[in-house]
Amino acid sequence: MADTAGTSEQAEPDGLSVTRTDVDGVTVVTVVGEVDHHTSGALRRALAPTDPDGARTVADLSGVPFMDSSGINVLIAAHQAHGPTGWLRLAGVRRPVLRTLEIVGLTPLLACYPGVRDALDG
């Protein structure tokens, strides 16, 4: 994977870590920690496309063991912000988070891949 300079944000001292990098023209957002109402703002900022027209983003959630409804709302908003010609794909979604996505009916809307490379290759 070709990688360029990234940015990172720490929501809380022991909370969420979010890193944005560019891989072959796709924004990869790597998330580590629990996503809840205290930490979802960092995820919201990281998933917001800089140019919504055709933006392509992979959210690597392999480091997220828990996500509450605020995280689900962030994913929905991010999906919508990518517009009709862009996409948001999820990678490495752990079983508890995947189950939540399934329960609320998001898996048909947000494509889930086993890993980042799979999501990039789509």
Side-chain angles (χ1 to χ4, degrees):
M1 285 192 258
D3 186 88
T4 60
T7 60
S8 69
E9 179 174 347
Q10 186 79 23
E12 299 283 328
D14 57 352
L16 194 69
S17 169
V18 181
T19 305
R20 283 176 62 116
T21 56
D22 182 78
V23 179
D24 302 329
V26 177
T27 300
V28 176
V29 177
T30 303
V31 187
V32 177
E34 295 186 354
V35 180
D36 59 26
H37 70 282
H38 294 293
T39 61
S40 62
L43 181 59
R44 176 177 275 102
R45 289 185 292 278
L47 291 179
T50 54
D51 179 10
D53 188 32
R56 299 175 302 153
T57 304
V58 172
D60 178 2
L61 302 180
S62 60
V64 178
F66 171 82
M67 180 180 290
D68 74 3
S69 60
S70 58
I72 299 299
N73 289 333
V74 167
L75 293 179
I76 292 168
H79 169 73
Q80 293 170 340
H82 280 74
T85 59
W87 46 255
L88 171 64
R89 296 175 179 164
L90 307 181
V93 182
R94 292 164 80 169
R95 188 71 199 139
V97 175
L98 181 59
R99 183 69 184 128
T100 302
L101 294 173
E102 291 169 344
I103 289 169
V104 298
L106 283 183
T107 50
L109 184 64
L110 294 170
C112 296
Y113 295 84
V116 172
R117 180 46 57 191
D118 301 300
L120 289 169
D121 293 343

